Amino acid sequence: MHRFALSIISLGFLFACAAPTTSPAPGDIAAAYQSAGRLQEASREIELAIRVRPRDISLRRQAARIYIEANDSDRAIEHLESAIQLAPRDGALWLDLAEIERDRQNIADAYVAFRRASTLAPTDIRAVSGLALSAENLGFVAEASAAYAKWAELKESLDSKATE
């Protein structure tokens, strides 16, 4: 009798171990809350995910998006700066930072970030156009002119690809 019971228990254990378990990816719960407009819960969940995986750049970008939507640009910038420390050559991170600074009317900080983004991603039209506009706003005429020329070149290239 004991052998039978032990076999049943062992069989149940094997099935339990073999059963597929699907746990949400880090950030999935935060994304669900964000899409439902529950930004306080999304913020809490993304912070929990980041505590587990502090070097995950995609989680840091997701956190920045959540905080921007929640009108907390300071916290968004903190996450982007942490991500930039982990991946300083990621032009998309610099571009995200630049756009937040531009929206906050911090033109000098936006200029620095757009300049870095356009250096790392010279064919990114958003980085180049942001550099042109911020350089012009700061009175850097030569740099603005060069960026405007690059912007026009990129736009022409995109337009010609669209008509092909």
Side-chain angles (χ1 to χ4, degrees), residues 13-14 18 24 30 45 85-86 109 114 116 135 137-138 142:
F13 179 75
L14 285 174
E45 292 299 328
Q85 287 178 353
L86 297 168
D109 291 337
F114 276 125
R116 184 71 174 141
N137 284 335
L138 293 171

Side-chain angles (χ1 to χ4, degrees), residues 120-161:
L120 293 169
T123 60
D124 188 314
I125 197 163
R126 293 181 314 144
V128 174
S129 63
L131 175 62
L133 295 168
S134 60
E136 180 180 44
N137 284 335
L138 293 171
F140 303 148
V141 177
E143 187 171 15
S145 294
Y148 276 117
K150 179 70 175 178
W151 183 4
E153 177 186 314
L154 291 171
K155 186 171 177 355
E156 183 178 312
S157 175
L158 287 173
D159 290 346
S160 69
K161 286 180 184 176

Side-chain angles (χ1 to χ4, degrees), residues 36-151:
R38 297 174 61 182
L39 300 177
Q40 187 174 14
E41 291 92 343
S43 301
R44 181 190 67 234
E45 292 299 328
I46 198 65
E47 292 296 340
L48 290 172
I50 288 170
R51 267 193 229 146
V52 173
R53 297 173 69 177
R55 299 182 62 80
D56 189 322
I57 293 167
S58 64
L59 288 177
R60 296 284 183 172
R61 289 188 83 197
Q62 181 181 358
R65 288 190 303 270
I66 290 169
Y67 283 111
I68 285 299
E69 191 174 335
N71 294 316
D72 188 349
S73 57
D74 289 337
R75 193 78 179 113
I77 288 172
E78 287 175 20
H79 280 289
L80 287 174
E81 288 175 342
S82 293
I84 287 169
Q85 287 178 353
L86 297 168
R89 301 192 50 77
D90 186 330
L93 292 171
W94 285 99
L95 183 57
D96 290 347
L97 179 61
E99 290 175 339
I100 293 171
E101 293 293 10
R102 179 202 57 214
D103 293 346
R104 291 169 40 136
Q105 302 299 311
N106 292 335
I107 303 304
D109 291 337
Y111 163 77
V112 170
F114 276 125
R115 188 167 195 222
R116 184 71 174 141
S118 66
T119 299
L120 293 169
T123 60
D124 188 314
I125 197 163
R126 293 181 314 144
V128 174
S129 63
L131 175 62
L133 295 168
S134 60
E136 180 180 44
N137 284 335
L138 293 171
F140 303 148
V141 177
E143 187 171 15
S145 294
Y148 276 117
K150 179 70 175 178
W151 183 4

